[in-house]
Amino acid sequence: MRVYLDNAATTPLDKEVFDTMAPFMLEHFGNPSSIHTHGREVRAAVEKARKTVAGLINTSPAEVFFTSGGTEADNAAIVCTVRTLGIKHIITTKLEHHAVLHTVEMLEKQQDVQVSYLRHDEQGVLDLEHLEELLANSPQTLVTIMHANNEIGNLNNVQAIGELSKKYNAIFHSDTVQTMGHYKHDVQQLGANFIVGSAHKFHGPKGVGFLYCDANVKIQPLIQGGAQERNMRGGTENVYGIVGLAKALEIAYRDMEEHHRHIQGLKDRMIYKLKDQMEGVQFNGLSAEGDKSLYTVLNVSLPPSDMNEMLLFSLDINKISVSGGSACSSGANLGSHVLEALNIDPDRANVRFSFSKYNTPEEIDFVAETLAKMFKKMPV
Ligand code: PLP
């Protein structure tokens, strides 16, 4: 058995999604910008996909733009809002994905923008009073705060952040890459001017995503070129990717309750098994706290041991694919800016398990037992 528990990094493609995409690789190859029949049939598929995505997130197709993935969608929302609307202040957190953090840092250097980082506690819970203080003291602000953290799983109160942003006339972008396809987003309720999706996080293809852009926020495009995406993103559309994204999101919404229950069950089983079989296991962030955390992610903190240095490698040898992260960003360990921001003990090792609809209870048992055995074998 080889077990894949790195679904926050990427998910396997759903066969149903592949079957929807395949004809657009082989038969329907036209360029959607061409006005002849080959082009028009493909244009119709792209617009159908846009309508599907828009319907699922409860908006109009005119507010959905396809991109090359989550990173581009985040960049477009942040960079274009700052450039077009003359934003002078960005409020964000140290816990964002690099698609947001590095974009904000670039703007701070190049665009005369001041950046404020929201306070949070050692579990990564954001201080929304601090957000209100910051908002009250600054006009022309962009708030960019993720919905769920990709490493520790914390779910932020996007609705409350949206209400505060609205109260102080700030623009609000939320990186929803990890929640898209796992929760039902309704942009009328959410209160964000921008949200994003990335197909490969919900069993769709890699290299395609989308940006929801509130029609009341008029921004200029990030990528210059042809008139594709209603002049909002130059470049020939990734047609089979777009068709696959829409199908994947449709399936995700269709089966969401069942998958939520199944995956939460796997996560609870893993928590129980690890606590039962290993001494001193802890969980980072709100990872083990029910609905305060993304049900697909469990970030485990393991006690100091000689095993820690080589942990991910050893797990891989033992047929388990997972991600890690260390609080220290130097040395052989891959650094995690998120764990570093939480001030976690650098002597402990951290493993992110992330689950999908394809994982099974047997796999969870295998992983928990393997990990426990690995630790017991090592001299303390
Ligand atoms: N934002 C978050 C929270 C993510 O987890 C990821 C991917 O890991 C991204 C953005 C980037 O998405 P993509 O891989 O589609 O560029």
Side-chain angles (χ1 to χ4, degrees), residues 48-50 52-53 56 66 199 202 241-251:
K48 184 171 165 233
R50 196 187 313 282
T52 301
V53 173
L56 293 171
F66 293 114
F202 47 89
I242 289 169
V243 168
L245 179 150
K247 186 67 186 175
L249 198 59
E250 200 173 64
I251 295 170

Side-chain angles (χ1 to χ4, degrees), residues 145-357:
I145 296 178
M146 67 202 324
H147 186 192
N149 188 278
N150 49 299
E151 292 195 38
I152 52 173
N154 285 24
L155 277 166
N156 293 322
N157 189 344
V158 172
Q159 231 159 319
I161 297 168
E163 278 163 24
L164 280 175
S165 301
K166 196 167 174 194
K167 181 172 167 193
Y168 292 99
N169 281 323
I171 304 291
F172 174 35
H173 157 252
S174 185
D175 178 350
T176 48
V177 164
Q178 288 292 342
T179 51
M180 187 62 66
H182 300 298
Y183 295 85
K184 287 193 174 153
H185 290 297
D186 176 340
V187 295
Q188 310 306 326
Q189 304 288 322
L190 217 53
N193 302 103
F194 300 98
I195 64 169
V196 302
S198 175
H200 73 108
K201 307 290 187 186
F202 47 89
H203 305 286
K206 292 173 182 60
V208 61
F210 73 91
L211 171 68
Y212 154 76
C213 174
D214 177 352
N216 297 314
V217 181
K218 306 270 183 246
I219 56 166
Q220 298 295 317
L222 180 71
I223 295 179
Q224 312 299 321
Q228 291 91 353
E229 298 297 295
R230 297 179 313 290
N231 287 312
M232 275 292 285
R233 186 201 188 253
T236 301
E237 295 88 338
N238 172 2
V239 175
Y240 36 83
I242 289 169
V243 168
L245 179 150
K247 186 67 186 175
L249 198 59
E250 200 173 64
I251 295 170
Y253 270 65
R254 184 190 72 196
D255 301 338
M256 197 173 286
E257 275 160 36
E258 184 194 332
H259 291 157
H260 188 143
R261 226 177 302 119
H262 172 70
I263 297 169
Q264 186 70 55
L266 298 176
K267 178 170 166 173
D268 292 344
R269 190 178 185 101
M270 181 70 102
I271 294 170
Y272 173 79
K273 292 262 165 183
L274 289 177
K275 278 187 182 163
D276 191 47
Q277 296 178 21
M278 292 179 74
E279 296 267 308
V281 171
Q282 294 169 5
F283 301 96
N284 292 313
L286 299 176
S287 194
E289 296 197 17
D291 56 11
K292 292 184 185 156
S293 163
L294 194 55
Y295 58 90
T296 50
V297 169
L298 181 66
N299 197 307
V300 179
S301 159
L302 299 161
S305 134
D306 292 351
M307 181 56 89
N308 290 0
E309 279 276 297
M310 301 292 281
L311 187 59
L312 293 189
F313 183 61
S314 309
L315 282 165
D316 194 28
I317 289 179
N318 281 289
K319 299 194 161 86
I320 297 167
S321 299
V322 288
S323 277
S326 150
C328 88
S329 46
S330 57
N333 268 334
L334 260 188
S336 155
H337 66 280
V338 174
L339 297 180
E340 209 169 336
L342 299 188
N343 275 329
I344 63 143
D345 178 352
D347 291 333
R348 296 179 71 90
N350 306 286
V351 183
R352 178 187 70 181
F353 296 107
S354 48
F355 315 95
S356 89
K357 61 183 180 180

